[in-house]
Amino acid sequence: MYRCRTCAVVGNSGNLLGSHYGGAYIDNHDFVFRMNKAPVQGYEKDVGSRTTHRIMYPESATHLDNNTHLVLLPFKISFQGYEKDVGSRTTHRIMYPESATHLDNNTHLVLLPFKISCGSPVMVMHPAFMHYVHNAWLHIKSRRSYPSTGFLVLIFAMHICDEVNVFGFGANSKGTWHHYFEKTPKSFKRTGKHSGGIECETVLELHKRRLMDLYTGW
Ligand code: C5P
């Protein structure tokens, strides 16, 4: 019998502090995705305590407990080698390896490298998926920028979950961008190499269209 799969994507924003999203919201999802070094200990009330998957670039590597799958983003992409222009007529076909089928020359294949229920504790996000997010969702032309970890996970979740709820993204109510786990919060702006402005707009648009729900904490 088909059961709706729910996913919580938990970013690291300081807007989680005081949100009380912990047990009742976040932990009740089938999958709880967290990123990089984000701690749960001491923050359970606001961020929950379950982590089914932790997603990170290699330089953010951190200790994982035995119940958490690691999803490794293999590298930061510069996209050399993906020179082909992705124009409006290009389509993308997203599939698991066993569904592989013949593609015409105008179609990009975005391979989902694994089924998320598989037993392996380590998974690697396929670079083609990262490239697909960069091109099809952010329409970024520059090869010097790349999607943030959070944005990659959000789009990934939308492909594998029936219901996606997003926490810990964006600024707090005062407009400050920081991490919930920093003792003395340093505010930062999501710009630079992450194309933060486009990501923010896209996240708000997805929320508006009810393709996922964004919980801002305020
Ligand atoms: O900072 P870090 O990359 O570890 O945070 C993980 C993700 O959480 C980011 O990629 C971003 O999507 C999200 N985040 C956010 N707003 C913040 C902090 C983090 O949207 N203030």
Side-chain angles (χ1 to χ4, degrees):
M1 192 179 62
Y2 186 76
R3 201 173 69 82
C4 176
R5 179 189 281 164
T6 62
C7 292
V9 177
V10 188
N12 294 345
S13 167
N15 70 20
L16 283 166
L17 290 173
S19 67
H20 297 266
Y21 287 152
Y25 289 101
I26 293 175
D27 283 345
N28 277 341
H29 292 78
D30 295 312
F31 293 130
V32 180
F33 298 111
R34 297 186 197 274
M35 290 147 230
N36 301 327
K37 295 182 178 166
V40 292
Q41 208 180 358
Y43 300 95
E44 292 89 343
K45 198 159 46 84
D46 293 331
V47 309
S49 52
R50 283 181 64 229
T51 307
T52 60
H53 297 81
R54 189 171 284 272
I55 298 93
M56 58 181 94
Y57 284 108
E59 66 265 33
S60 308
T62 185
H63 178 75
L64 298 182
D65 65 46
N66 287 341
N67 299 318
T68 305
H69 291 262
L70 164 66
V71 182
L72 192 65
L73 307 176
F75 47 76
K76 296 198 167 158
I77 319 167
S78 64
F79 298 122
Q80 274 92 4
Y82 289 106
E83 313 283 281
K84 201 171 167 205
D85 180 44
V86 181
S88 56
R89 284 169 52 244
T90 309
T91 58
H92 294 76
R93 188 176 285 273
I94 298 149
M95 60 179 88
Y96 287 112
E98 66 267 33
S99 314
T101 180
H102 178 75
L103 300 179
D104 64 47
N105 286 342
N106 297 320
T107 305
H108 288 259
L109 167 64
V110 179
L111 198 62
L112 300 174
F114 50 82
K115 289 207 165 154
I116 200 140
S117 58
C118 75
S120 164
V122 180
M123 305 159 181
V124 179
M125 188 173 279
H126 200 289
F129 186 80
M130 299 158 81
H131 180 242
Y132 154 73
V133 173
H134 183 267
N135 273 324
W137 286 88
L138 296 174
H139 309 289
I140 301 171
K141 293 281 178 275
S142 162
R143 294 204 174 89
R144 283 194 298 275
S145 66
Y146 47 84
S148 71
T149 313
F151 194 78
L152 278 172
V153 178
L154 166 57
I155 301 300
F156 181 63
M158 284 175 52
H159 283 81
I160 63 159
C161 307
D162 302 294
E163 182 187 316
V164 178
N165 293 309
V166 179
F167 307 85
F169 272 55
N172 68 8
S173 58
K174 294 186 179 128
T176 310
W177 292 79
H178 63 295
H179 294 124
Y180 70 82
F181 44 84
E182 279 162 355
K183 292 282 177 259
T184 35
K186 295 188 288 305
S187 74
F188 59 91
K189 223 165 177 254
R190 301 224 59 93
T191 49
K193 290 186 183 261
H194 276 326
S195 312
I198 311 170
E199 288 193 6
C200 275
E201 282 164 27
T202 311
V203 168
L204 291 175
E205 188 61 30
L206 293 173
H207 174 67
K208 210 164 94 191
R209 294 191 193 190
R210 303 305 306 267
L211 292 167
M212 54 78 166
D213 276 324
L214 176 67
Y215 291 79
T216 59
W218 42 280

